Structures are given as structure tokens and as C-alpha cells.
Amino acid sequence: MAKYLLLKHYRGAKPIPCEPMDQWTPAEIEAHIAFMDHVADQLRERGEFVDAQALSPEGTFVRYDGEGRPPATDGPFAETKDLIAGWMVIDVESVERAHEAAAFLSSAPGPGGEPIGEWIEVRPFLEYPPTVTD
């Protein structure tokens, strides 16, 4: 078994026109969240679910800017294309299975109940630190 992080991205390239979630109806939001719960339940039944969280669209990139200096930020909000909508950790037998789970997650309904086809980034957990050779 290997752990993978499935990152739900806010990205502009979608197969169907899709407004930001704050423009959806309450019923559309409820259907989307119910589907995400359904995906988690399916993964639990297979023994593959580890954890998941939705994230707020607000965020700031921060980095160290030198001793005694305040953290450097990019402003109050990151660019929309760089934001992560949420994440799920799964523990599956293969990268192919991780891709299947990500594709299922990507089919979550959006406005009008249509699958939004959002991008899901599949990132394996690092099992061992990199080996340094001289």
C-alpha cells in the first residue's frame, strides 16, 4: 500500500463552464458535499481512506525573508490558479488505483448537477528521504 495526497485545485480550465462555489445555489453546494462524502465512504469501504478536508479559498503565500525581518507575503490572497480547494489522503495498492480514485473525485457535481471535472493533483507521499551520494 502507498499513500497519495489528492489535491483539489481551483483552476480555470474546466470541461464545462463552472462558476466559483460562492455563486452556486445551496442545493448545488449540498449535492457537491454529499458526493464528496460518498467518495470518502466508498474509499472507507475499500480500506483506502485516510483523511480529507475542504479548504477556504482565502490564503497567503508566506516565506522566510531574512533574520529579524517579518515574513514576506504575496499579498492578502494567492492567485486563484494557485489555490487548493481541499485534499484527501488515500492508501492504495498502486498509482493506477490512485488515478482511478482521483478521477472519481473529479466527477463531483457542480452547477446544474453536471460533473465539474476539476483537476485533481495526485502526489505520492515520500517514503524515504532522498539519498545523497558523493
Side-chain angles (χ1 to χ4, degrees), residues 9-12 14 20 57 61 77-85:
H9 282 269
Y10 291 119
R11 287 183 62 171
K14 294 193 180 356
F61 282 93
F77 305 107
E79 292 183 33
T80 303
K81 67 180 178 61
D82 296 323
L83 292 175
I84 304 297

Side-chain angles (χ1 to χ4, degrees), residues 52-76:
Q53 290 292 318
L55 300 173
S56 168
E58 294 83 26
T60 305
F61 282 93
V62 178
R63 69 174 175 84
Y64 173 77
D65 203 28
E67 188 65 39
R69 298 182 64 174
T73 66
D74 71 333

Side-chain angles (χ1 to χ4, degrees), residues 28-92:
E28 290 168 340
I29 293 171
E30 186 176 308
H32 184 83
I33 292 170
F35 181 84
M36 304 310 285
D37 291 340
H38 171 70
V39 171
D41 289 342
Q42 294 289 312
L43 291 166
R44 274 187 198 93
E45 288 177 15
R46 294 177 62 117
E48 298 174 331
F49 181 83
V50 176
D51 197 6
Q53 290 292 318
L55 300 173
S56 168
E58 294 83 26
T60 305
F61 282 93
V62 178
R63 69 174 175 84
Y64 173 77
D65 203 28
E67 188 65 39
R69 298 182 64 174
T73 66
D74 71 333
F77 305 107
E79 292 183 33
T80 303
K81 67 180 178 61
D82 296 323
L83 292 175
I84 304 297
W87 54 268
M88 181 178 286
V89 176
I90 59 174
D91 195 357
V92 295

